[in-house]
């Protein structure tokens, strides 16, 4: 009898966001150093855009979760949290 295949373990969203952000920061640092060739810079820029979009999507999902927690019946009208100054 064949064993059922288990789904690969998923990275928690927060850890995935942190990893993407760290990689993006490293890419920016390398690009700012000016030591990369044009091809390397273009590849790094392309990867950076993908990482930025991934991070932005994770932040948007987190904001939606917060809104759902603040007002589950009407998340669109939930007031965003404003920290004290």
């Amino acid at each position: 009898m064949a064993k059922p295949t288990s789904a690969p373990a998923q990275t928690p969203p927060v850890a995935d966001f942190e990893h993407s952000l760290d990689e993006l920061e490293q890419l920016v640092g390398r690009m700012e150093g000016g030591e990369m060739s044009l091809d390397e810079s273009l590849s790094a820029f392309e990867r950076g855009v993908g990482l930025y979009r991934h991070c932005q999507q994770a932040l948007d999902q987190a904001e939606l979760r917060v809104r759902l927690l603040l007002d589950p019946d009407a998340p669109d009208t939930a007031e965003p949290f404003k920290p004290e100054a």
Side-chain angles (χ1 to χ4, degrees):
M1 188 161 145
K3 283 184 172 180
T5 57
S6 62
Q10 295 226 342
T11 306
V14 172
D16 193 35
F17 171 81
E18 293 291 334
H19 177 9
S20 294
L21 186 60
D22 286 343
E23 186 178 345
L24 182 58
E25 289 173 344
Q26 290 174 12
L27 273 175
V28 168
R30 286 182 34 219
M31 290 177 74
E32 287 178 343
E35 299 291 322
M36 299 173 81
S37 69
L38 179 59
D39 284 339
E40 290 172 328
S41 294
L42 288 172
S43 293
F45 180 76
E46 184 176 17
R47 176 70 179 146
V49 169
L51 289 167
Y52 167 79
R53 289 179 180 157
H54 181 273
C55 289
Q56 188 60 49
Q57 182 181 21
L59 290 172
D60 291 343
Q61 289 174 353
E63 181 181 5
L64 177 59
R65 286 180 63 194
V66 168
R67 286 181 179 271
L68 286 169
L69 289 169
L70 289 174
D71 191 351
D73 295 326
D76 290 338
T77 61
E79 290 294 319
F81 176 75
K82 293 185 177 153
E84 294 180 21

